[in-house]
Amino acid sequence: MHIRFYFCRMFCVSLPLLLFFVTVFLATLFVSTTGCRNSDPTQSEQAPQTPRPAANPLSSSRPNQNVAPAGDSPSAEGTGASSQPHSPAATQENGEAISPAQTEPVQRVLDRMESAYRNARTYRDKGEICISWTQGGQKWERKTPYSTCLERPNRIQIQVNETVLNADGKEFCAYFPEMGSAILTRKCPDTISLRDILCERDLYLKLIDAESNRFSYLPPPLVLLFAKKPLDTFLYGVDEGTISMRNPQKYEDHDCFLISIMRNEDETILWIDKESYVLRKVELPTRILKKEKSAGGTPVESMSMTIELHDAEINCEKWESSVAVTLPADVREVETFAPVQMELLGKTFPSTPLANAEGTPVSIPQLRGKTLVLFFATAWDESAHASLARIETLYQKYKTNPKMLFLAILPTQKSAESVARAGVTLPFVIDSNGVLAQQCRVVGNVAFLVDERGVIQSSTDCDRNFEASVGKTLNGVDVATEMIRADAKSRQDYEESILKWIENDVFLDPADITQPQIPEAKVSPSSDPVVFKNAELWKNSELKAPGTILVVPGVEEGAPEKILVLENGNTIAELDEKGSIVARHPLPLDPNIYEISLLSAINPEDGKRYYATFGKRIHIFDENFELVSFYPPKKPEELSDSVSDVRLEDLDGDGRLEVYSCFLNNDGIHKTSLQGELLVQNKELGLVFQMASIRLQNENTLAIVNQTGGILLIDPTDLSQISQFSVLERTLGWITSSNFQSGALESLAGIALAVGGKNKALGIDHSGNEIWSLNLPDGIYTRPIDKIFPVSLRQSEERSGEWLILGPDSSLHLVEINGILIDQFNYGKIITGISSARLGGRGALLISTPDDVRAVEIQWKK
């Protein structure tokens, strides 16, 4: 049963950031910077413009870092009360008069800092991010390298943790350990820009990977040196009245202004050199990080987080880098960062000699003519169990296929015992001394798919995408070319999103950006259909504030459908085919919990029907509308409007209904039992807007849309991500599916929203290709209701169904499953619920408004 989602709440609010990409939302990050020295900046008298909205299309995740206990660490928090900027008679705490420089207006100090960096010929620091905290009585400290050095126009060196970028005027290089021995090497541009620095998605994700990005997504020195208006980032969303001057203090023997900035109830303090106007230190708020670290159960008693820009200096006489890095001995130059196996796609598999269990030589070229699955097994511990189980399942499925051959490639004869204990029965060969594994750059367990010509078609840890690739390869599809094209498209999408981000010139976390106001759609005046005419069958005006409509099939074949309407947010009204109220079922819901949707399903375990409502919380009811459970198990006052979609289905095939729910507060997807027990969750998916179920390779799969604007395929068993694809130049916020024809693939449809509230309905195939589109009225959806759903409205069975699409102005659009527009008209009233039914054998629309519920027969014109 397809459900609703509060489309206007998050998708429209965070739209532009979605439009520009991403891959992956959103998590808390980790960054750092430091130091400053004297210089002679040219002062600017021009005040900065009011910060404007912008969108960062990207997101990242923070890797785990080893942290060691440390001794006492002094708090980084500044002291002293705020001083008024225009107060020549002001005095310090010791009674001495404050100099005019100390009472310089806050805005002028910020302007001069901005001007100093804009006009800087050189800059360098020895930065680091310093975090210290006390937890469970134990003191901890972590320092992360975070330095920036620049000589205009094209010499720069940046280090964030272990990621290093270097340009010496001739060559541009970048390196981080996760890419193994690969070092990115390109010709150095004549003038370094942010586009050059952020040239690779993997490099970008490393540069922003720090908790300090809550203040600035990019390292603050980079923003100051390259942004057109750096203060647009530092002061974004900050009211003028919340910027104040603290009492001055010294940092590394430099007198500094201390400027306090309040954003979202969090205080950041900038330490700005009084002489050079160089940023020397940033005190960062710790409220969110402290809460995260306390989530494990042990509270954090105290915490400080600072960006220390040690020895920061502009316009120094002799510029030199403070960045040092040790490269691996077997370093190899690459033009772009890519997963190591990606580089091997479309190439011939190496012909390194192997040996079978009896010691007989085996050569891969000798096996040409068959499709090969070559599984490098180098790990057999618990972490490798999933890949071992998947390869064995795949082997059992295809082992009798004469066109295929499976081989496990093991490092030693003895390792065959470990593979056997793990339940893997593949025949194996020995890769003596791991020569072949080294040539294929294997780390962990990796499966290679090699076609009958000996060409590598795919390489993964044997996930469900790999199985799909096997089927395609057997049917003659060039999977390698498909994957290479998809990768090229992904890189193009990244490049476009970065250009948009740089153009917007506000470098913040998407969650911290208030998007431009999108106009609310107004209800369009009523209009008549063209292809068909709507004839009212009945109207019920007795219901109070009717909302969601759910049509439930009859218990017995041929029995009339049951019409359920959510009344007043906490009562289920049951109507008969003529619209009369048969029964009312009050729901024991807390009045503070706004319930917005209703769905039902039959439990295969006991054959009973269950219902679910959701809004701030999910409630499960039995067939008599008695409460069975609720989720999440929080107090009403702790809940927020975070449940965006729910599915009540048996997708994992265990013979029991499960409740799949997604959340708008970075909680991802949860899977619970009917009794409200949490079975599994995946919070790494961030903000999830909508879900749909489809079948891929005869297996149930969840298709979701989240803050990336693309479609993610999720395994319903463990909620792990199978794959991800985007619809070209579209940002999705809604997705649904329907099996219009028995035995055929489900049809996918969705709604994309562009900048300014431009809505577009889309038909999508299972590879993410757009197969049709329909322009919808502009504006945001203001009510929690289905936006697009399958209906069957024709009098005859000549068609299997249609898509009915609701516009934000309460217009209705009926299209064929192939996207051909049948008709469209304006209902003329606010629609609070809509569904379709067969009433007396006639196709009808059921529409609720704040005043009534109506059944409208669709009579097709001849």
Side-chain angles (χ1 to χ4, degrees), residues 40-204:
D40 296 313
T42 302
Q43 298 180 0
S44 170
E45 299 300 326
Q46 182 180 3
Q49 301 297 314
T50 302
R52 63 181 183 277
N56 175 2
L58 304 168
S59 60
S60 71
S61 58
R62 178 179 352 112
N64 294 327
Q65 298 189 29
N66 295 326
V67 182
D72 292 345
S73 177
S75 170
E77 188 168 302
T79 59
S82 299
S83 59
Q84 298 299 320
H86 298 287
S87 180
T91 60
Q92 298 185 30
E93 292 180 359
N94 59 10
E96 297 179 4
I98 298 178
S99 68
Q102 291 172 330
T103 61
E104 191 167 0
V106 170
Q107 190 60 63
R108 183 174 297 177
V109 173
L110 293 173
D111 289 347
R112 288 179 173 175
M113 175 183 68
E114 190 176 59
S115 177
Y117 284 85
R118 180 188 302 116
N119 295 288
R121 178 178 51 83
T122 64
Y123 171 83
R124 68 181 178 192
D125 66 46
K126 296 179 181 178
E128 61 183 0
I129 295 177
C130 301
I131 305 177
S132 61
W133 70 98
T134 303
Q135 187 171 20
Q138 175 70 61
K139 295 184 182 297
W140 301 82
E141 186 177 75
R142 178 172 62 208
K143 294 185 178 182
T144 302
Y146 195 68
S147 62
T148 303
C149 300
L150 170 73
E151 182 179 35
R152 302 188 196 273
N154 61 354
R155 295 178 67 188
I156 191 169
Q157 288 151 331
I158 302 169
Q159 181 175 14
V160 175
N161 205 350
E162 296 181 288
T163 299
V164 175
L165 181 149
N166 178 78
D168 60 4
K170 298 180 180 180
E171 196 172 54
F172 179 95
C173 301
Y175 169 79
F176 53 92
E178 286 81 352
M179 281 298 168
S181 59
I183 180 170
L184 181 74
T185 305
R186 299 179 179 179
K187 181 181 178 181
C188 190
D190 293 335
T191 302
I192 290 287
S193 67
L194 275 181
R195 181 177 180 180
D196 302 309
I197 295 170
L198 306 177
C199 60
E200 289 275 321
R201 181 173 52 223
D202 294 304
L203 181 59
Y204 161 84

Side-chain angles (χ1 to χ4, degrees), residues 375 377 379-382 384-393 410 415-426 445:
F375 183 68
W380 309 284
D381 57 13
E382 186 175 346
H385 176 74
S387 62
L388 293 168
R390 284 193 292 263
I391 192 64
E392 178 63 22
T393 300
L410 309 180
S415 59
E417 300 174 5
S418 299
V419 173
R421 284 196 299 271
V424 177
T425 62
L426 276 67
N445 294 342

Side-chain angles (χ1 to χ4, degrees), residues 344-351 363-376 403-407 409 436 440 446-460 466 469-470 473-474 477-480:
L344 300 175
L345 290 182
K347 297 180 180 178
T348 302
F349 194 85
S351 57
S363 174
I364 298 300
Q366 295 173 351
L367 305 176
R368 286 183 183 173
K370 290 182 180 290
T371 297
L372 307 178
V373 173
L374 306 174
F375 183 68
F376 286 87
K403 296 181 180 181
M404 290 201 68
L405 179 64
F406 283 72
L407 285 176
I409 301 176
L436 183 59
C440 294
V446 179
F448 280 82
L449 175 61
V450 181
D451 67 15
E452 58 186 11
R453 302 168 299 155
V455 175
I456 299 172
Q457 292 293 316
S458 180
S459 173
T460 68
F466 185 81
S469 297
V470 170
T473 301
L474 287 172
V477 177
D478 190 345
V479 176

